[in-house]
Amino acid sequence: YGAAAWALRDWLRISPALEGRRDLLALFGAALLATLLVAVVAVAIMTASGLVPTDQAAELGAHFWVGDLIGVVVVTPFVLLLAERRFPDGSSAPEMAAQLLAVAAALWIVFGRETENHFEYSYVLFLPLIWIALRDGLTGATWGVVATQLGLIAATQIKGLDATVLTQFQLLMFAAALACLVLGAVVDERRRAEAWMKAHEAELAHASRLVATGETAAALAHELNQPLTALIGFARACQTLMQGPAARRPDSERAARDLIDQTVEQAVRANDATLFMVVHAALATLMGRLSGTEDVAIGTPIAGRGVTELVALLADPIDRVRYRARLELSGRPEAEVVPAVQAWLAKLDPQAAEY
């Protein structure tokens, strides 16, 4: 029995709390083999020592095996769960009392009547055990099996049944205990699965709400921060002020100017530019259309600047300013331009993102 316990704990690694059908079936398998081995060895020793006749060895071995087997199957799960401080909690006190009465009634139906065949209604022993297992899971099933086994032993002793009939009832009790305990384990697994699903459904619902909130916030932020939307809104408002009856109002011109200013600000924001860049581009576009050429020289950024300032303009975000700075530097003396460029490059930080 110690070797069986070692195999269950260290080899098969079952949980002492019998948390699933695998643990329970492993316990039953180990009990079946261990009790069989013990019965064979014990009867062999008794037969070899002359305590048991050879012709009775098989019958005695069967009684020995069945008695030990039902004892292990009934008592071991009960003790293991009791050590884990697990008690039936699915049924109320009145229902537990009713379950015990049902066990007693089933025992009375089997043994209470004066009959030679007590197996006629033996199937009723399963009914209260099934009820207990469905209500209280494996924990309740162990208590129900123990109560039924104690009642069965008491009834057979009161009735004075012989060893053969007792062994038959023990086999019946083994079948009832096996069915009841496995059913209780299945009920516990289902309850754990339902609890797991409910917990994950709550997490999923919470995550879905967070995703929906995030999408809403992102959409709202996009609409609020979308410069093009603001540009269109301000431009249409300006058109409304400049056309129709609204154009005759005294404050229409001032309101239109304000809207144009806001439109320019949003355009600046849309292109990540400065106000100077927008005005410069607008002036270049206007001059290009009026002159009919694509290359318009606007000298404001470079007019009157020295070599050092022109070199600094090489980093200007406006393409035309950089282009004009390069053109202007190409006409300056090389002796002035090269040192200025080298000095400007020396001031730059190679680690900077703009480098």
Side-chain angles (χ1 to χ4, degrees):
Y1 290 136
W6 172 84
L8 289 172
R9 185 190 63 185
D10 297 336
W11 185 39
L12 296 177
R13 298 186 181 278
I14 72 167
S15 169
L18 302 178
E19 296 179 351
R21 282 172 292 176
R22 174 187 173 277
D23 297 339
L24 197 62
L25 294 176
L27 175 62
F28 289 159
L32 191 67
L33 295 177
T35 53
L36 179 60
L37 180 61
V38 169
V40 170
V41 172
V43 173
I45 292 174
M46 288 187 288
T47 303
S49 61
L51 298 177
V52 176
T54 305
D55 57 346
Q56 297 180 6
E59 183 180 358
L60 178 62
H63 296 327
F64 199 108
W65 175 45
V66 173
D68 278 9
L69 177 62
I70 192 63
V72 172
V73 169
V74 171
V75 176
T76 304
F78 177 78
V79 172
L80 288 175
L81 296 185
L82 197 62
E84 295 289 330
R85 299 185 181 276
R86 290 176 56 182
F87 301 96
D89 55 2
S91 301
S92 60
E95 186 174 3
M96 289 182 182
Q99 290 169 352
L100 289 176
L101 289 176
V103 171
L107 290 170
W108 182 86
I109 292 174
V110 176
F111 296 101
R113 299 175 303 107
E114 295 297 332
T115 178
E116 293 183 359
N117 185 13
H118 294 288
F119 288 96
E120 184 178 359
Y121 297 101
S122 59
Y123 61 88
V124 298
L125 292 174
F126 287 81
L127 302 180
L129 294 177
I130 293 173
W131 175 19
I132 296 172
L134 290 176
R135 290 291 295 159
D136 299 298
L138 180 59
T139 306
T142 58
W143 286 73
V145 167
V146 168
T148 305
Q149 175 67 7
L150 292 175
L152 186 65
I153 293 174
T156 54
Q157 293 298 319
I158 293 172
K159 286 292 185 178
L161 301 179
D162 58 22
T164 302
V165 176
L166 179 60
T167 300
Q168 292 173 350
F169 270 109
Q170 295 286 45
L171 286 173
L172 174 68
M173 189 62 209
F174 172 75
L178 181 63
C180 180
L181 294 174
V182 171
L183 178 60
V186 171
V187 170
D188 283 351
E189 288 180 349
R190 180 173 180 178
R191 288 175 179 173
R192 285 194 294 268
E194 290 175 351
W196 182 87
M197 290 181 62
K198 287 181 180 179
H200 282 69
E201 283 177 359
E203 293 178 2
L204 181 60
H206 179 65
S208 299
R209 288 194 295 268
L210 290 179
V211 171
T213 303
E215 290 177 350
T216 303
L220 182 60
H222 177 75
E223 293 300 325
L224 292 176
N225 296 322
Q226 178 56 264
L228 295 178
T229 303
L231 282 171
I232 295 172
F234 290 141
R236 287 181 177 176
C238 187
Q239 288 177 343
T240 302
L241 287 173
M242 301 302 294
Q243 297 176 357
R248 295 190 292 270
R249 293 172 52 186
D251 58 345
S252 296
E253 183 177 353
R254 180 179 176 181
R257 284 199 302 269
D258 292 340
L259 288 172
I260 292 174
D261 292 340
Q262 295 182 51
T263 302
V264 172
E265 290 179 3
Q266 294 299 324
V268 168
R269 206 163 129 246
N271 294 279
D272 194 19
T274 63
L275 182 59
F276 169 78
M277 294 167 61
V278 175
V279 175
H280 186 278
L283 179 59
T285 302
L286 177 61
M287 297 301 294
R289 290 189 178 182
L290 292 177
S291 63
T293 179
E294 295 182 357
D295 185 15
V296 179
I298 300 177
T300 302
I302 61 173
R305 297 179 183 267
V307 174
T308 303
E309 294 176 328
L310 288 173
V311 171
L313 289 177
L314 294 176
D316 195 275
I318 300 177
D319 291 339
R320 289 182 180 276
V321 174
R322 295 196 303 272
Y323 175 71
R324 290 300 168 185
R326 288 195 298 271
L327 286 180
E328 185 66 21
L329 287 171
S330 65
R332 301 293 179 95
E334 184 177 346
E336 297 180 7
V337 174
V338 173
V341 172
Q342 291 176 344
W344 176 69
L345 289 174
K347 294 178 182 180
L348 298 180
D349 182 10
Q351 304 300 326
E354 297 82 2
Y355 182 78

